[in-house]
Amino acid sequence: AQKITQTQPGMFVQEKEAVTLDCTYDTSDPSYGLFWYKQPSSGEMIFLIYQGSYDQQNATEGRYSLNFQKARKSANLVISASQLGDSAMYFCAMSLGEGSNYKLTFGKGTLLTVNP
Amino acid sequence: EAQVTQNPRYLITVTGKKLTVTCSQNMNHEYMSWYRQDPGLGLRQIYYSMNVEVTDKGDVPEGYKVSRKEKRNFPLILESPSPNQTSLYFCASRRQGLNSNQPQHFGDGTRLSIL
């Protein structure tokens, strides 16, 4: 069974600085996808970025980048130039590839607070 | 605008009164799914659907029903709600085929309170 671990319950960062949110995963399946979602206090779940297990390059999406280290089974989210609006809960998630039920397995989340 | 729409956003109801949470997506996605989010337990999958008329149980299906008669709609039905179904519910959809690592797009959530 797959598992996602987020070891940082909470993180603080100063506005305009970069922050890294940690995520490690465990699966024996060679085909999987790793995702990061943002959940603001209003409750919606916003997709940020994803990385496929066969992707050679780290994913980037605007101020978000994913530091994918396959051998270490880690998929850390890097947010550059933090903004006050980045304050939210962040979830790392994984789903398996073809032949699976595409269920997303989520970590417990990291609460990010951006200070002015 | 591409989106997943859930209704209602908030609902307070009583034990035993049947309710339906609707979910509709306009992205022509084959795959749809329901999750519930609870403090300390995280997000757990309730049911999913690979395509029209194809549904299957997730990790916590007890007390729920679903149907997929049309590609765009995937309602979640609570025939006899109980207080332990008080939760934040999310509907999600994704495209299938082509790339197995498609992201799931979520609706804005439904906060359900069963008294």
Side-chain angles (χ1 to χ4, degrees):
Chain A
Q2 56 267 36
K3 185 179 179 182
I4 295 285
T5 303
Q6 293 180 254
T7 57
Q8 307 155 313
M11 288 283 284
F12 293 88
V13 65
Q14 286 298 121
E15 196 178 5
K16 299 180 185 176
E17 292 186 351
V19 63
T20 297
L21 307 183
D22 294 342
C23 172
T24 58
Y25 62 92
D26 188 27
T27 181
S28 56
D29 199 297
S31 176
Y32 52 88
L34 295 157
F35 308 87
W36 278 91
Y37 288 86
K38 171 184 179 183
Q39 187 176 37
S41 57
S42 49
E44 65 267 33
M45 195 70 73
I46 302 166
F47 164 70
L48 296 177
I49 193 169
Y50 88 92
Q51 180 87 38
S53 58
Y54 297 120
D55 293 343
Q56 296 295 316
Q57 293 194 331
N58 287 344
T60 61
E61 196 70 51
R63 295 187 298 111
Y64 305 109
S65 60
L66 203 154
N67 184 2
F68 181 46
Q69 298 189 42
K70 196 170 183 177
R72 298 181 61 185
K73 293 191 172 181
S74 73
N76 299 337
L77 176 70
V78 180
I79 304 175
S80 63
S82 296
Q83 301 172 355
L84 296 177
D86 293 335
S87 293
M89 184 71 85
Y90 288 81
F91 292 96
C92 179
M94 174 171 63
S95 71
L96 300 183
E98 295 292 337
S100 77
N101 67 5
Y102 302 122
K103 177 184 72 175
L104 280 170
T105 298
F106 286 84
K108 293 190 181 300
T110 296
L111 181 61
L112 177 66
T113 302
V114 181
N115 294 317
Chain B
E1 179 188 354
Q3 59 186 5
V4 179
T5 303
Q6 292 179 230
N7 280 296
R9 290 292 312 280
Y10 306 91
L11 179 62
I12 301 173
T13 187
V14 296
T15 299
K17 186 175 181 182
K18 181 180 178 180
L19 67 93
T20 299
V21 184
T22 63
C23 174
S24 181
Q25 51 94 4
N26 62 0
M27 295 169 280
N28 202 35
H29 286 169
E30 294 84 4
Y31 180 91
M32 298 184 75
S33 181
W34 278 101
Y35 295 84
R36 60 178 289 176
Q37 184 180 23
D38 301 289
L41 297 174
L43 286 105
R44 296 175 292 169
Q45 189 184 56
I46 305 170
Y47 267 95
Y48 66 96
S49 170
M50 292 287 195
N51 214 323
V52 176
E53 301 291 2
V54 182
T55 63
D56 209 343
K57 297 176 181 179
D59 295 326
V60 288
E62 294 78 19
Y64 305 95
K65 289 175 61 177
V66 292
S67 69
R68 189 90 183 272
K69 292 182 170 51
E70 305 164 285
K71 198 172 188 179
R72 63 183 293 127
N73 296 323
F74 189 45
L76 180 69
I77 304 156
L78 285 72
E79 293 269 2
S80 184
S82 62
N84 64 11
Q85 293 178 297
T86 292
S87 187
L88 176 58
Y89 290 86
F90 288 103
C91 179
S93 73
R94 60 159 277 172
R95 191 170 48 154
Q96 280 190 205
L98 296 179
N99 184 338
S100 63
N101 296 317
Q102 292 294 309
Q104 291 190 31
H105 298 274
F106 284 75
D108 286 344
T110 295
R111 289 193 183 275
L112 192 55
S113 293
I114 316 289
L115 304 178

